[in-house]
Amino acid sequence: DDLDLLYSFKKRGYRTTPILYVNGKQISPDLARKARPNQTLLSFLRDVLRLTGSKLGCAEGGCGACTVMISRFEKSNTASSNDEGTNDDNDGGAIKHYAVNACLMPVLAADGCHITTVEGVGSVKDDNLHPIQRAMVDMHGSQCGFCTPGIIVAIYSLLANNATTAHMEEHLDGNLCRCTGYRPIWDAARSLCSDIEDVCTNKVHEHMNAEMGVIRGPCGTPCRSCPARDSCEMDCNAKDKENGKTDQKEKSMENGGGAKSAPKENLCCSSSVDKMSSYQSVLPKDSASSWRNQPIDMFPNSLTSAPDSEIGMELFKPLLVVDSTAHGRSTWMKPTTILELLSLLRQYGESDNGCKIIVGNTEVGIETKFKHAVYPCLIYPSQTIDSLYDITITSTHFRLGACTPLGTVQQECERLIGNANVDRIAKPIYNMLRWFASTQIRNVACLGGNLVTASPISDMNPMLVSMNANLVVASISSISEGSITRRIIPVLDFFCSYRTVDLKPYELVECIDVPLTREIFEYVVPFKQARRREDDISIVTSGMRIILAPKESEHYVIEGMTLAFGGMAPTTIVASETASNLIGMPFCAQTFKKGGEILREELKLPDDVPGGQAEYRITVASSFLYQFFLTVATELKMDADKIQMDPIKYGISIPLPPLPLVVEEEMSGTQQFVSSKKPSSLGMQTYPTPKVVEGIEKKISPTPANAALQTSSNSLGKPLPHASAPFHCTGEAIYVDDIPTPPSTLHAFLLLATECDVTLKSINKEAALKIPGVVDVYTHDDLVKLGGENAIGPIMHDECVFLPVGEKIVSVGQVLGIVIGNSIEISEIGARSVKVEYGEKQVQTIVSIDDAIKAGSFYEFARHTLERGDVDSVFCSSDNKEEEKEPLSMQPREQVVKVEGSFRCGGQEHFCE
């Protein structure tokens, strides 16, 4: 049907070829036409362009091995303050750089963008390594090298935006490395930041302890305790040596009343800050501007040209790409106006197959890859639709476009912290988004998609509920009419049930309106508890808002409160009973302790709740409430201080009521990680000075201060970089999956059982064999025809290659056959098309030892025993003497001690990194 409509869409102004740029060059139209609607950017880069530096790791945006940089020319979307709610485009725009996960991003979403892969950063050829790659090599940031290309591009993207060390530490959070322990990667990344020299200087300054009088160096070790004190030439150590009082004390301690102390062994000492500081001398100063400007210099001029240029006019047209192959038979549409977008939703939203709006593809990509969902019509809203991407401030609301990337929202909220109008909204949103997935995900995922997926453990949904935010939902009544209708839905009312929202198939969430808070006495605080801080879903999440009012000179009263939680029900919920009990009560610790007891009852979970940890989740939610009191009490003090300085400005009469009493020991409850600065990864290493061997051991190598005396041919004691590290850092190292496949290579996908403890009745191949590209489907019958042996196993041949029809399936995932096709995608589609018929389950499923004993189910043929001597008689004699119990220490060595009992270990939750 889409092919039939192709001509009509062309008449409506649609183009059918994407415009793609990779590493400074435009992809030819012939290659660009190979991009499919359901194809990821990583697949296109590796399979079509043969750029294999970017790796496929987790395929779900969690490891960062596939990271590439997307650059596009964008107009400024800085929040403007105006009553109309529109953005003032104060400038012509700028080039923006984003690190993204190529394993999730659709290739067609890169239409009109410039893509930089690790191959475009630098190369081993002609010693053309980029300083980032050189630093990673020199500081030993690569070991196995598989994750290194993604890390290189992630750092490259941050430096392209002139990242400071603080920005680098905040946003380099989307890459996993299972080899290095991260510290050398951090050292390499920070050594190239624009402010590293100032940071190193600041970290070297004296850290004086008033009580101890101790000076600490950048490594964190007291200078007087440093094993390399005599050889260290850092400023902190030099200044400490000048302190005459401590020098005299050290000498007397060393002499020990005239006794000659033993000579100290020379030690080598190195620290992260020392490495980062010294690396500045290695960088080529004359070319510093050139490598820092490389992302701008590589960006195609045609993408920054005027809208009336040839490329500009093409990019302004909507895009339609139809895939009629067996890979998915899907259609990609990229409308450029809100009216065109709503028309497509009206046309396809209520059709039999429906359609799906794609922005970051962080949810749909997972559904299609792992849940095998099929979406024949994909709609990608263009960046030219201002209402979907703008951030604006009106007199009453903070408005966020539903398709605005979360990273942009985070960046803008950080900029607005301190703005009196929106500070108390921007700060909690910023703090929560810091820990939302990773930078690569935030750079593409949007708030509208997060709301529509309606995850019960979403971080942002409870925040928006607590802020009384509203959604603006747009639609058109008919394609011919063309008038846009909008309705307002409170965020809380938007969630109907688990993963179900109040949104019709032809409707679109256009923007989110967050009401502005009062300048004083209104507070919003986010909370989150997960198994790890970064890049992990929450166990419990919450957004809490409170309004206080001074009651004459007595105390502060709770005037309003909203307590929203995620992870406590199938949808985001509000603890309305707890809030109603606290409203009108004094703002004090006792009130919130009582509120915690009410909350535990209101949010009570059954022991068999999905996700488990019922009691833990209730306890966490209750602790959040008391943390909320402690945090607000701290902020209330700051508000009171502001009012005392200028009561007329705030219209508050003084004196104010006394502040609530908070026990000093409880103030640590205000220090939650959501609002805390991410810690720096620094370290120091000390080791004995290596010995130089020239035939036989005869001398000790010089101390680090005299290291220059070593001959260039002597590498002992010098750090040597990984021999393959330059190839790791440029993506030129070839792994098995990077080897080009020979022409006409066939691909296989296993046919697996989806049920167990049932009989395999039949396997029908017909549907799979009708799929273009599927070569054949092989089962046990085909193996028998070939004369093959079906029984396999390392010792006991107790397994089979393909389960014969009529046999019992013993496990989910048991191999039933194999599908051969022209590509792995086609083979997978073929395997899912095979019709497998199962018999009825006739026996109880055995999942424990108790079940097996009860059913008498034992694998007798696989029983193995090791016996020495007359085992039965020894055990019998042991049983007969059981009543003659003596202390174990008094029994002879030949005495048999019989120990018996049982140990049970239930299900465990594991996660990597």
Side-chain angles (χ1 to χ4, degrees), residues 810-862:
V810 297
S811 66
V812 171
Q814 187 167 2
V815 179
L816 308 181
I818 192 169
V819 180
I820 309 298
N822 293 333
S823 70
I824 189 65
E825 294 87 358
I826 290 177
S827 298
E828 183 178 0
I829 294 171
R832 295 203 303 270
S833 301
V834 174
K835 305 299 181 183
V836 179
E837 185 180 0
Y838 303 99
E840 294 184 3
K841 186 175 294 188
Q842 299 177 349
V843 296
Q844 180 183 1
T845 302
I846 298 174
V847 295
S848 69
I849 295 294
D850 291 337
D851 293 341
I853 295 173
K854 184 178 180 180
S857 176
F858 305 103
Y859 289 99
E860 295 291 349
F861 66 91

Side-chain angles (χ1 to χ4, degrees), residues 388-410:
L388 296 181
Y389 292 92
D390 280 351
I391 301 175
T392 58
I393 304 172
T394 71
S395 58
T396 58
H397 289 85
F398 181 46
R399 173 167 290 183
L400 302 169
C403 294
T404 307
L406 295 176
T408 303
V409 175
Q410 177 190 5

Side-chain angles (χ1 to χ4, degrees), residues 601-735:
E601 289 298 318
E602 184 176 3
L603 300 183
K604 198 165 186 178
L605 299 172
D607 292 336
D608 59 349
V609 63
Q613 300 178 293
E615 187 61 31
Y616 174 74
R617 286 151 68 179
I618 296 170
T619 303
V620 168
S622 178
S623 69
F624 281 169
L625 182 60
Y626 196 72
Q627 281 185 284
F628 182 51
F629 161 70
L630 297 174
T631 303
V632 173
T634 304
E635 296 186 8
L636 177 61
K637 183 180 184 304
M638 292 188 287
D639 276 358
D641 292 341
K642 288 193 298 185
I643 294 171
Q644 292 287 354
M645 294 177 61
D646 192 356
I648 298 177
K649 175 183 178 181
Y650 300 100
I652 302 294
S653 59
I654 54 175
L656 293 170
L659 295 170
L661 181 64
V662 178
V663 181
E664 184 66 28
E665 289 78 7
E666 294 181 347
M667 288 306 296
S668 61
T670 63
Q671 300 171 5
Q672 57 158 325
F673 78 90
V674 173
S675 56
S676 300
K677 179 182 180 296
K678 293 184 179 181
S680 297
S681 175
L682 300 173
M684 182 188 71
Q685 182 181 19
T686 60
Y687 52 92
T689 304
K691 297 179 180 180
V692 178
V693 179
E694 296 181 0
I696 59 173
E697 182 181 354
K698 62 181 183 179
K699 69 177 182 178
I700 303 298
S701 69
T703 61
N706 300 320
L709 298 177
Q710 292 186 353
T711 61
S712 58
S713 61
N714 176 27
S715 60
L716 187 64
K718 297 180 181 179
L720 294 178
H722 195 311
S724 299
F727 299 95
H728 296 162
C729 294
T730 60
E732 294 173 86
I734 302 299
Y735 295 80

Side-chain angles (χ1 to χ4, degrees), residues 97-153:
H97 309 283
Y98 305 95
V100 303
N101 294 120
C103 71
L104 285 180
M105 184 176 186
V107 58
L108 294 176
D111 174 55
C113 300
H114 177 241
I115 306 158
T116 303
T117 69
V118 69
E119 290 91 346
V121 176
S123 172
V124 173
K125 185 179 180 180
D126 299 327
D127 195 24
N128 192 31
L129 280 116
H130 190 280
I132 296 173
Q133 297 165 325
R134 175 59 63 190
M136 190 73 78
V137 172
D138 293 343
M139 296 193 183
H140 316 285
S142 171
Q143 288 187 29
C144 83
F146 192 81
C147 65
T148 306
I151 295 173
I152 292 292
V153 178

